[in-house]
Amino acid sequence: MAAIKLVTFDLDNTLWNVETVILEAERRMRAWLHERVPEYADAFPPDAIAALRAVVVEQSPELRHDLSRLREAVLFRAMVECGRSDADARRLARDAFGIFLDARHEVEFFEGALDMLDELSRDYLLGALTNGNADIARLRLDRYFRFGFSAASVGQAKPAPAIFRAALEHAGAQPLEAVHVGDHLVDDVHGADAVGMHTIWVNLPGQPLPPDAARPSGVVLRIDEVPARIAEIAARTSGR
């Protein structure tokens, strides 16, 4: 039986609450834009931005999985529609996105998350797999993660198999030698299970498992329980 050698993690809502982070990042970006493009607030409330985003994705589908390029492209279009020249619109979009991205990386890790990663990094090869645009080096998570793949870097978002297969290939691991840890039952649990990896569902709210969902190999209600679940999977895998 294969031993566990690779553990991959989702980031947003697995290691921190992303909704509060994005709300604050949006607030700071809109405040910055209000001083420079006052008409933006009235012309582009959140629902109008969502509609513009859909238009940009329809016209440039290659941006669908690259959230950074997509957000900047949407901001550029919004600046143009606010009457700015293309050159000014590009500059404003770039700088506004920079404000957003700075705040997007001011995360508050779930209690015990960093200690958990530190513990696991001593025994397993760790990798980060995200559909978002969090940068593990910028977050200083590269102390624990040896590599990371995003939807943008592989051209497909979870639950598509590309990102999981990229991690397995990079680590030189077989699916049964790997565990993926994440909060999303479709993107993380179903996606990793479909390529043959073990899975741990990070179920911090304590929700019941829907009857039609993929069955995770383990479930945690606190992030610091992950090492114990991995140990249990490793014991079953090795036949002990």
Side-chain angles (χ1 to χ4, degrees):
M1 301 290 284
I4 301 301
K5 61 188 292 186
L6 170 67
V7 181
T8 58
F9 278 83
D10 173 57
L11 298 177
D12 292 326
N13 285 333
T14 294
L15 298 179
W16 61 79
N17 183 319
V18 73
E19 283 77 16
T20 56
V21 172
I22 296 299
L23 284 173
E24 175 60 14
E26 290 274 8
R27 186 196 67 78
R28 291 193 204 177
M29 183 190 74
R30 293 183 78 89
W32 185 90
L33 280 169
H34 182 70
E35 297 180 0
R36 294 155 180 84
V37 190
E39 60 271 35
Y40 173 80
D42 291 333
F44 289 100
D47 58 340
I49 283 291
L52 185 58
R53 178 189 176 109
V55 171
V56 171
V57 168
E58 182 178 0
Q59 294 176 347
S60 303
E62 72 278 6
L63 298 181
R64 182 184 305 275
H65 303 309
D66 191 332
L67 298 187
S68 292
R69 289 177 61 208
L70 175 57
R71 185 175 285 272
E72 193 167 333
V74 171
L75 285 166
F76 169 74
R77 288 285 294 272
M79 296 300 100
V80 169
E81 294 192 23
C82 285
R84 299 308 194 264
S85 68
D86 281 5
D88 281 347
R90 288 192 188 91
R91 176 181 56 80
L92 286 163
R94 181 193 65 234
D95 292 349
F97 177 67
I99 296 295
F100 173 89
L101 199 61
D102 285 346
R104 192 258 188 274
H105 284 89
E106 294 180 15
V107 306
E108 183 175 347
F109 294 99
F110 291 135
E111 184 176 358
L114 297 183
D115 288 341
M116 177 271 299
L117 291 174
D118 182 54
E119 177 182 349
L120 290 176
S121 67
R122 300 172 197 165
D123 297 318
Y124 304 101
L125 176 66
L126 302 188
L129 306 180
T130 179
N131 284 349
N133 54 5
D135 185 315
I136 57 175
R138 194 163 180 171
L139 290 163
R140 299 190 64 223
L141 291 175
D142 53 353
R143 293 173 289 173
Y144 315 114
F145 292 120
R146 299 285 295 277
F147 67 90
F149 289 102
S150 67
S153 68
V154 301
Q156 289 182 297
K158 296 178 292 182
I163 194 167
F164 301 106
R165 289 176 178 162
L168 292 169
E169 182 177 355
H170 181 86
Q174 296 300 312
L176 289 178
E177 297 175 321
V179 180
H180 180 67
V181 182
D183 71 289
H184 202 285
L185 280 170
V186 176
D187 292 352
D188 294 306
V189 176
H190 172 73
D193 179 71
V195 300
M197 297 172 68
H198 304 283
T199 59
I200 293 177
W201 180 30
V202 178
N203 181 21
L204 302 186
Q207 300 172 334
L209 182 68
D212 58 344
R215 311 296 294 185
S217 310
V219 180
V220 298
L221 301 179
R222 299 195 321 267
I223 197 66
D224 61 2
E225 296 173 339
V226 170
R229 295 294 88 75
I230 293 175
E232 291 169 2
I233 294 169
R236 293 199 303 267
T237 300
S238 65
R240 294 196 304 269

